[in-house]
Amino acid sequence: MSNVKALPLLEPTTPEVVAPCCPPLAERPFTAEEAERTARMFKALGDPVRLRLFSLVASHEGGEACVCDISDVGVSQPTVSHHLKKLREAGLLTSERRGTWVYYRVEPSVVAALGSLLTPRV
């Protein structure tokens, strides 16, 4: 007698979509919502471990990184997970579970928006 069970297949989940945070500072004043969203992003990046994780994901080949490839940042695995969650909540990273691993990526639109945010009007 076999103990093998057939497991149902799960439909792939679509990756989260991240919208750019805000217009450049020189374009117009922020709305209250834009200021809140942008402040969350800068606050998330204000932590050295989070900034390092963000950099590891952004610079990883292919633009995405498995948590297994970026977890060696000098803190415990639960702390890495906490910081990655904060980066996701701030809208800086998206994630996708593949089997037992989670893959993270930086959305190009977010990086472009953050880059243009501080660009002065010429």
Side-chain angles (χ1 to χ4, degrees):
M1 179 184 269
S2 174
N3 288 334
V4 177
K5 285 184 181 178
L7 296 175
L9 293 176
L10 297 176
E11 293 297 318
T13 58
T14 56
E16 304 160 31
V17 176
V18 176
C21 65
C22 47
L25 286 173
E27 184 177 303
R28 62 170 171 75
F30 285 169
T31 65
E33 181 182 321
E34 290 168 337
E36 283 289 325
R37 188 174 22 200
T38 305
R40 276 194 307 272
M41 288 182 175
F42 280 115
K43 184 176 179 181
L45 290 174
D47 181 281
V49 174
R50 288 185 201 143
L51 185 56
R52 187 161 178 218
L53 287 167
F54 185 74
S55 171
L56 283 166
V57 172
S59 64
H60 204 270
E61 188 176 329
E64 71 175 10
C66 175
V67 70
C68 60
D69 295 329
I70 59 171
S71 59
D72 188 20
V73 291
V75 295
S76 68
Q77 174 54 43
T79 304
V80 168
S81 294
H82 166 77
H83 286 303
L84 289 168
K85 177 182 175 188
K86 292 295 184 182
L87 289 167
R88 270 193 352 266
E89 289 173 350
L92 294 165
L93 295 179
T94 59
S95 64
E96 179 181 9
R97 179 171 293 282
R98 297 181 198 157
T100 59
W101 297 110
V102 177
Y103 287 77
Y104 292 89
R105 82 187 126 270
V106 174
E107 286 295 317
S109 62
V110 171
V111 175
L114 285 174
S116 69
L117 176 70
L118 300 175
T119 302
R121 192 179 338 186
V122 185

